[in-house]
Amino acid sequence: SQQGEEDPQALSIQEGENATMNCSYKTSINNLQWYRQNSGRGLVHLILIRSNEREKHSGRLRVTLDTSKKSSSLLITASRAADTASYFCATEPGTGGFKTIFGAGTRLFVKA
Amino acid sequence: ETGVTQSPTHLIKTRGQQVTLRCSSQSGHNTVSWYQQALGQGPQFIFQYYREEENGRGNFPPRFSGLQFPNYSSELNVNALELDDSALYLCASSLGLAGSTDTQYFGPGTRLTVL
């Protein structure tokens, strides 16, 4: 079963617009990470936010974490056609031994 | 480029056969994790190895097994292949134990098709 659930499942926007993707999870976590995947290839790590952090920035990316609501959001500002990809959140539960749990992903399509 | 390589890129097997997938981690990375990604789904954690010992396991049957070697290479073995094993298999390496907030570096994956 997957702990993280991304919303929306798919998103289509124009170049230059902002894209927001949301992730919800079920159990306590050590950290939450966002990854990008192009066309069924390997995943690329984008950003990690720890459970005691509320917001983090990296270039055009902004991630927020609300542990009380067990949710996170990824904002991509001024999107580009090259941002077209699938985006996944991944969590490491705080208990029950090590594992990384991915959601089903949001498929982002940025139109030029 | 993450410095993590996988072989082969694609593989076709028939039901009941056995398969070995290989991964070469970044030098110095003591941890390797394996994931199964079905089409249109997120990766599912299979197991993790830390310094040649299994450190964690997801909800996969024992016919999924692994090995990690001192030279930063690792293998995923799947016995008695089933049609549902068709997927992209990803390995990821990191410096140490996850939970220590180490970033995982993913390989490009092996696409396995079971007929």
Side-chain angles (χ1 to χ4, degrees):
Chain A
S1 63
Q2 294 178 315
Q3 157 146 273
E5 295 293 336
E6 283 92 342
D7 167 54
Q9 291 185 339
L11 183 60
S12 181
I13 60 174
Q14 290 292 138
E15 208 168 28
E17 293 180 338
N18 295 341
T20 300
M21 289 160 268
N22 303 297
C23 168
S24 60
Y25 56 92
K26 298 174 184 173
T27 66
S28 63
I29 59 173
N30 291 323
N31 60 67
L32 186 145
Q33 303 183 51
W34 285 90
Y35 289 83
R36 185 186 73 216
Q37 185 178 39
N38 291 75
S39 301
R41 298 188 178 184
L43 280 76
V44 175
H45 180 261
L46 295 176
I47 198 165
L48 178 150
I49 186 165
R50 302 181 187 191
S51 58
N52 61 352
E53 297 177 310
R54 292 297 168 258
E55 187 170 313
K56 205 160 183 180
H57 296 254
S58 176
R60 294 184 295 114
L61 306 179
R62 181 174 80 101
V63 168
T64 61
L65 179 64
D66 187 335
T67 54
S68 66
K69 295 181 179 178
K70 292 187 170 58
S71 67
S72 174
S73 68
L74 170 68
L75 169 67
I76 304 174
T77 60
S79 63
R80 306 165 182 169
D83 295 328
T84 295
S86 292
Y87 291 82
F88 297 91
C89 68
T91 56
E92 292 180 8
T95 59
F98 171 75
K99 58 180 66 176
T100 300
I101 302 177
F102 282 83
T106 292
R107 281 129 193 94
L108 174 65
F109 181 64
V110 182
K111 293 176 282 188
Chain B
E1 290 294 329
T2 63
V4 179
T5 59
Q6 292 186 243
S7 62
T9 305
H10 295 88
L11 197 54
I12 299 175
K13 290 285 189 178
T14 56
R15 195 170 46 183
Q17 285 188 313
Q18 178 267 343
V19 69
T20 298
L21 309 182
R22 294 179 172 83
C23 172
S24 180
S25 301
Q26 283 194 24
S27 180
H29 282 193
N30 294 309
T31 300
V32 64
S33 301
W34 285 89
Y35 297 85
Q36 179 196 68
Q37 186 178 23
L39 201 60
Q41 300 296 316
Q44 297 272 335
F45 175 75
I46 302 175
F47 43 56
Q48 181 191 69
Y49 279 77
Y50 173 70
R51 292 187 172 177
E52 303 164 49
E53 297 287 330
E54 187 177 294
N55 181 58
R57 191 177 183 91
N59 190 26
F60 280 82
R63 60 189 185 85
F64 286 78
S65 62
L67 287 171
Q68 185 186 26
F69 303 102
N71 64 352
Y72 305 111
S73 66
S74 60
E75 293 179 352
L76 165 65
N77 299 287
V78 187
N79 294 321
L81 284 167
E82 301 176 359
L83 297 180
D84 285 348
D85 295 334
S86 295
L88 181 69
Y89 288 85
L90 298 161
C91 73
S93 73
S94 56
L95 275 173
L97 285 173
S100 62
T101 67
D102 281 341
T103 297
Q104 294 187 70
Y105 297 88
F106 280 80
T110 293
R111 173 78 57 190
L112 173 65
T113 301
V114 182
L115 302 177

